[in-house]
Amino acid sequence: MTKGTVSKVLIANRGEISCRAQRACKRLGLPCVAVYTEPDALSLHVLHAAESVCLGASPKEYLSPERLLEVAKSTGCDAVFPGYGFLSENTEFSAMCEDNGIAFIGPTAETMAMFAQKHTARELAESAEVPVLAGSPLLVSADEALDYARRIGLPVLLKATGGGGGIGIHICRTEEEVESNFTSASRQGAAAFGDAGVFVEKYVQHARHIEVQIFGDGSGNVVAFPERECSIQRRHQKILEETPSPFVTPDLRERLQGAAIRLGQKAKYRSAGTVEFIVDDDTGEFFFLEVNTRLQVEHGITEMVSGVDLVAWMFELQGAPGDDLPVDLASYQPAMAGQAIEVRICAEDPAHNYRPCTGTLGLVAWPKRTECRVDTWVETGVEVSAYYDSLLAKLMVYSPEGRPAAISKLCAALEETQLKGMCTNLEFLRVIAASPRYAAGETTTKFVEMIDYAPHAVEFLDAGLQTTVQDYPGRVALWSVGVPPSGPMDDLSHRLANALVGNADHAAALEVTLTGPTMKFLTDTVVAVCGAEAPVMLDGQPVPMWQSFAVKRGQVVKVGATCGGSRAYIAIAGGLDVPEYLGSKSTFPGGAMGGHQGRALRPGDLLFLEPADLSRLAVGAVVPEAWRPSFCSGDGEWTVGVLPGPQADPDYFTPEDMQTLFSTAYKIHHNSNRLGVRMEGPRPKFARADGGEGGSHPSNVHDHVYAIGTINFTGDMPVVLMVDGPSLGGFVCPATITSTELWKMGQVRPGDSVRFRKLTLAEAYTQRFQVDHQVSLVSQLARGVLSAQAAEADMAAFKVDVPETPPTEAVLRVVPAVEGRHPGAQVRLAGDRYVFLEYGPMELDINLRVR
């Protein structure tokens, strides 16, 4: 094809390879069109595209040749770039494109057909004098497979002939395994590739997977690039690739490249492709494996050591503008300088046989200090669905100084990388990169099987009734714009649990409601459980609350049902490693944000832990009994300290109403939750007949900001507004619970009695400092800085210097109105954390609102 015959390209793929192709098009000045399905609407390959077309709602539309050709024609594209996967090696699609006058950027349909079936590819390799492993033709029965296995000698591989990506491949070490796996391999091949054909091949026990990138002009001229080692695999799928191989000598490299070139020339190969080999680690012999008639996922590292742009070469070969492609491939000698390594970052769980994972990525951050190349389709906030391959990104490093320097660079880049909010293999890749065996080049295909991977995480076998991630003090900075703080309902127990394991006050911990979770710890750590009394079991043996205890890898912690209160808190050394959302890690289930996936935990969830130096912890540290909160659900009456205001007597409530509020035992209503705790009690008389312009009921006022913990009368029923409650409303609030007393409302249960006690500002101020000092002392206990005796003595001697405070009244100050200049104002008390500024009279006056 001559230059200029390709003027616009349809990129018939998704994700990172679509982004990669778009970059090549942009560099060549070649217009391109991205395609997507509805689940991919927020993928970077769509957001970054100058032009994109939705294929439809179904996630399978990437596999529709008819739909892709329809889009190509409607957008004026005269070429299609298939990438890898999907239709990249589909001979029918390639032929359809060519029949419609649209260039298929890749090998011809005829070439793809030659290599589509593994058994015919073996025959072609043999004809090109490329070594092949002993094997069989296509087989029709398990008995026939067993016969060939006996001839070749065990162990053998059973392979689906149409396979790829490790699908339909079974290692058989016994005759029984040959018989039992034959049907499975056939079924998997039929399901995944539409071909039930199976053959037997000799299995190399200590094998390396080494491949050679080729590029041909379709006329018999083929270039072979330096080899890539791809031996580090899971389930026969690559996760780390590097070039050049640490195993390959110059002589072996020459023979590998020669074999790849002969095979490419035999097929008159066009465009980019890869010849894959099995190399015997013991003998150095190599054998043909297969040809991938497409661009490889790992093409980027070849580009890094050779300085070429393989995607640009593919475009230019078939008529795109540009001058990257050598004029004479026959005389081209690829360069090889330095070392390049790639890792595939995937949404999968290596601790559970690499099961795919889904969810929202709450934080995506790529290295900034370490030079690397990242090909990706994700960013913070992207939802990873179950519809497509688990690959999130390819991280590649290059060093001109060789392999050790490249490995150091890789380790640094992986440490800088952050992917939070869902399970990925990032930590597993860090372990691989730091492995002495990897540094030594001991990278056979069995490499990952010998890694003792222990993710720094906890798995939830049972999640309990409602277990959420919360941090203290929560999302406090956004209350003014209507975002509730969330955070722990009982912040005192949450803080004490964190202190017992040496965590900072703001570390994320678990809030348990009524019944707790069953957790399997995948790493050694230290745990503490505080809050309402609940049975805590470690491998079936009871452990005390209010005391830290060590947990070993593989052990199971179970927290049972609470009594005396509603909630318990589980803190783990280092804290839970979940992404911050709007400045906090706290879960707000009503807004589907924060914590883990914005929801309560579920069985099967895996939460990673922040790093912790366990050697610095005094395991067994105890919160002194006198410092522990008292829980009295079903056993007595809760007494809760409050301050009057912002709307108390005499202007909103009568003095008798306030006396009733402070002398009545209110009953907790069953309709209570993290938004608010509803109570039943006597109806107020109110100081007003109605709410004036605020509404017809005397509890109505113009909308105003609520304080957290305020007692809000919505009509005649009081509701304590809690951490997930509304920040704005139009009802009066006669009193507000102080910050050191609010934890009690996080523990009450339906039917409990609560009596409010009026505090003074001095009392509230003193309590605040006393509680903070207690938490600080427990933290010092946990770190071995203080003994229990010294901590208790310190607390006994602790004195709070209380500054002069105004009278504890609902109205702290009145600013008189000045006619024509100032409408007047009142500064009202709203608990120990807020004041409430009432500006002007209680009238709906737009001038006042905008001043």
Side-chain angles (χ1 to χ4, degrees):
M1 190 171 286
T2 59
K3 294 284 184 180
T5 54
V6 169
S7 60
K8 191 174 185 180
V9 177
L10 181 79
I11 301 171
N13 214 301
R14 64 176 294 276
E16 60 85 17
I17 184 56
S18 178
C19 293
R20 168 69 184 93
Q22 288 178 48
R23 291 200 305 272
C25 288
K26 184 176 181 179
R27 195 172 71 77
L28 296 174
L30 181 64
C32 63
V33 178
V35 293
Y36 64 97
T37 61
E38 287 186 8
D40 264 345
L42 296 179
S43 169
L44 289 182
H45 86 271
V46 181
L47 300 180
H48 289 177
E51 184 178 355
S52 61
V53 175
C54 181
L55 296 174
S58 170
K60 296 182 179 180
E61 291 296 331
Y62 292 114
L63 293 169
S64 172
E66 294 80 12
R67 179 69 178 123
L68 290 167
L69 282 173
E70 177 189 335
V71 173
K73 291 176 181 178
S74 66
T75 54
C77 293
D78 45 27
V80 168
F81 175 77
Y84 36 73
F86 293 130
L87 299 176
S88 61
E89 295 179 277
N90 186 292
T91 55
E92 291 181 12
F93 181 52
S94 172
M96 287 173 65
C97 289
E98 300 293 345
D99 289 346
N100 282 272
I102 295 174
F104 182 85
I105 306 297
T108 64
E110 293 76 18
T111 300
M112 287 194 286
M114 291 179 191
F115 295 106
Q117 306 298 315
K118 286 185 170 63
H119 71 287
T120 57
R122 281 170 51 89
E123 294 169 2
L124 188 62
E126 287 181 288
S127 70
E129 299 182 354
V130 176
V132 299
L133 285 164
S136 74
L138 280 186
L139 307 170
V140 297
S141 69
D143 288 340
E144 197 176 5
L146 185 57
D147 180 51
Y148 272 96
R150 287 169 177 161
R151 292 191 219 173
I152 295 167
L154 294 168
V156 296
L157 286 175
L158 277 176
K159 285 186 171 183
T161 187
I167 299 171
I169 298 177
H170 296 268
I171 301 171
C172 303
R173 302 182 186 279
T174 66
E175 293 187 356
E176 291 74 18
E177 288 179 344
V178 174
E179 291 180 299
S180 62
N181 287 328
F182 181 85
T183 301
S184 177
S186 179
R187 184 175 61 249
Q188 290 169 346
F193 312 106
D195 191 325
V198 174
F199 66 98
V200 170
E201 187 175 81
K202 179 64 180 175
Y203 175 61
V204 178
Q205 301 250 34
H206 303 110
R208 290 175 181 263
H209 184 133
I210 295 176
E211 63 188 28
V212 175
Q213 173 76 57
I214 62 171
F215 194 94
D217 63 6
S219 300
N221 296 311
V222 177
V223 171
F225 289 83
E227 79 287 343
R228 297 187 291 247
E229 171 131 6
C230 311
S231 302
I232 298 181
Q233 306 175 1
R234 85 286 190 263
R235 297 186 308 190
H236 303 289
Q237 293 178 309
K238 306 162 191 171
I239 51 175
L240 183 149
E241 302 100 340
E242 62 180 310
T243 183
S245 163
F247 180 81
V248 173
T249 62
D251 174 66
L252 179 56
R253 178 173 300 117
E254 184 178 343
R255 289 188 288 130
L256 285 166
Q257 289 178 313
I261 289 172
R262 290 196 303 276
L263 187 54
Q265 290 172 334
K266 186 83 173 179
K268 291 191 176 179
Y269 198 89
R270 184 185 77 184
S271 196
T274 300
V275 184
E276 299 192 347
F277 298 96
I278 286 293
V279 179
D280 191 319
D281 191 62
D282 296 326
T283 67
E285 294 181 284
F286 68 91
F287 306 94
F288 172 77
L289 182 61
E290 64 180 349
V291 173
N292 286 311
T293 54
R294 53 171 168 79
L295 188 70
Q296 286 282 79
V297 174
E298 59 272 21
H299 71 275
I301 54 173
T302 293
E303 294 179 327
M304 295 174 96
V305 297
S306 64
V308 306
D309 184 333
L310 285 169
V311 179
W313 276 29
M314 294 175 75
F315 287 146
E316 291 179 26
L317 178 68
Q318 292 183 247
D323 54 8
D324 291 68
L325 183 65
V327 175
D328 181 15
L329 274 182
S331 61
Y332 180 79
Q333 292 296 320
M336 183 181 74
Q339 184 84 18
I341 310 172
E342 170 185 286
V343 290
R344 302 189 191 189
I345 300 175
C346 300
E348 63 186 24
D349 182 1
H352 293 87
N353 198 29
Y354 310 97
R355 66 185 179 193
C357 299
T358 61
T360 300
L361 283 164
L363 175 65
V364 176
W366 303 113
K368 293 183 178 178
R369 297 187 303 274
T370 304
E371 184 183 6
C372 62
R373 168 177 162 180
V374 178
D375 288 4
T376 185
W377 64 274
V378 299
E379 62 181 347
T380 297
V382 161
E383 182 178 355
V384 179
S385 73
Y387 299 124
Y388 304 114
D389 184 83
S390 64
L391 181 66
L392 301 176
K394 303 179 308 191
L395 186 149
M396 293 164 267
V397 296
Y398 169 77
S399 174
E401 299 170 8
R403 191 168 185 266
I407 292 174
S408 295
K409 215 170 189 180
L410 176 65
C411 291
L414 287 171
E415 283 302 319
E416 278 191 71
T417 300
Q418 295 186 76
L419 291 165
K420 296 186 179 183
M422 59 176 291
C423 188
T424 72
N425 67 341
L426 178 60
E427 186 177 358
F428 184 56
L429 294 173
R430 289 170 179 159
V431 172
I432 291 174
S435 165
R437 288 195 304 116
Y438 175 63
E442 299 171 6
T443 54
T444 69
T445 54
K446 295 294 183 184
F447 182 90
V448 299
E449 295 177 17
M450 293 183 281
I451 288 183
D452 182 24
Y453 174 57
H456 201 57
V458 57
E459 178 187 4
F460 288 81
L461 308 179
D462 185 348
L465 181 64
Q466 186 179 47
T467 303
T468 58
V469 175
Q470 303 294 343
D471 65 0
Y472 173 84
R475 213 165 271 107
V476 292
L478 299 169
W479 190 241
S480 60
V481 293
V483 179
S486 299
M489 287 280 278
D490 173 0
D491 61 0
L492 179 56
S493 295
H494 183 283
R495 295 176 70 195
L496 288 171
N498 260 332
L500 276 174
V501 295
N503 288 349
D505 233 12
H506 62 264
L510 295 172
E511 177 177 273
V512 169
T513 303
L514 298 180
T515 58
T518 301
M519 304 167 290
K520 182 178 181 180
F521 284 81
L522 306 182
T523 186
D524 295 351
T525 190
V526 177
V527 176
V529 184
C530 296
E533 194 67 28
V536 182
M537 311 295 283
L538 176 63
D539 280 351
Q541 298 300 311
V543 290
M545 294 182 65
W546 305 101
Q547 179 176 341
S548 65
F549 58 93
V551 180
K552 297 297 183 183
R553 175 185 174 185
Q555 288 191 299
V556 173
V557 174
K558 180 177 181 179
V559 179
T562 62
C563 63
S566 295
R567 294 175 173 87
Y569 293 85
I570 305 169
I572 305 170
L576 300 170
D577 187 11
V578 298
E580 286 193 358
Y581 188 84
L582 299 178
S584 170
K585 297 180 178 182
S586 286
T587 310
F588 175 34
M593 65 187 191
H596 179 69
Q597 299 295 316
R599 57 167 171 79
L601 299 180
R602 298 171 184 164
D605 281 341
L606 192 76
L607 292 188
F608 285 86
L609 307 176
E610 296 278 9
D613 185 355
L614 303 184
S615 66
R616 299 180 60 187
L617 297 180
V619 179
V622 180
V623 176
E625 197 158 345
W627 298 3
R628 301 176 193 177
S630 297
F631 302 90
C632 54
S633 275
D635 203 26
E637 190 175 86
W638 296 87
T639 301
V640 180
V642 300
L643 292 173
Q647 294 105 4
D649 61 333
D651 40 4
Y652 293 96
F653 290 83
T654 67
E656 292 78 15
D657 289 336
M658 298 303 293
Q659 182 61 36
T660 300
L661 179 67
F662 298 138
S663 62
T664 300
Y666 286 85
K667 184 179 180 181
I668 301 300
H669 193 272
H670 67 272
N671 189 16
S672 299
N673 50 39
R674 284 178 54 89
L675 281 76
V677 177
R678 194 175 296 272
M679 300 177 292
E680 297 175 290
R683 176 182 178 180
K685 295 179 181 179
F686 293 104
R688 306 179 301 165
D690 56 46
E693 292 187 6
S696 60
H697 194 276
S699 65
N700 294 138
V701 288
H702 287 305
D703 280 2
H704 63 93
V705 177
Y706 290 139
I708 300 165
T710 198
I711 303 170
N712 181 253
F713 272 83
T714 55
D716 298 326
M717 177 174 275
V719 179
V720 177
L721 301 181
M722 298 301 289
V723 292
D724 284 352
S727 63
L728 185 74
F731 295 98
V732 291
C733 306
T736 303
I737 301 170
T738 60
S739 60
T740 54
E741 295 279 311
L742 187 59
W743 68 266
K744 299 173 183 177
M745 300 306 294
Q747 290 290 357
V748 296
R749 290 182 175 225
D752 284 357
S753 294
V754 174
R755 193 179 298 272
F756 297 108
R757 182 173 74 89
K758 181 181 177 181
L759 302 177
T760 65
L761 282 170
E763 287 176 312
Y765 185 90
T766 300
Q767 285 182 6
R768 176 74 274 159
F769 280 88
Q770 287 175 334
V771 168
D772 289 346
H773 191 62
Q774 267 186 354
V775 172
S776 173
L777 290 174
V778 172
S779 181
Q780 294 177 65
L781 276 172
R783 289 181 280 113
V785 176
L786 285 179
S787 66
Q789 186 177 3
E792 292 186 73
D794 187 307
M795 192 67 220
F798 181 69
K799 302 295 180 186
V800 178
D801 185 13
V802 181
E804 184 179 348
T805 59
T808 307
E809 305 278 348
V811 179
L812 297 174
R813 184 181 177 192
V814 176
V815 179
V818 178
E819 189 173 352
R821 293 180 57 194
H822 194 284
Q826 295 189 62
V827 180
R828 294 177 176 271
L829 186 59
D832 61 332
R833 289 181 285 183
Y834 318 100
V835 292
F836 180 93
L837 178 62
E838 192 173 270
Y839 191 73
M842 187 60 67
E843 298 172 355
L844 184 57
D845 187 331
I846 299 301
N847 288 326
L848 287 178
R849 295 282 172 134
V850 300
R851 282 182 69 164

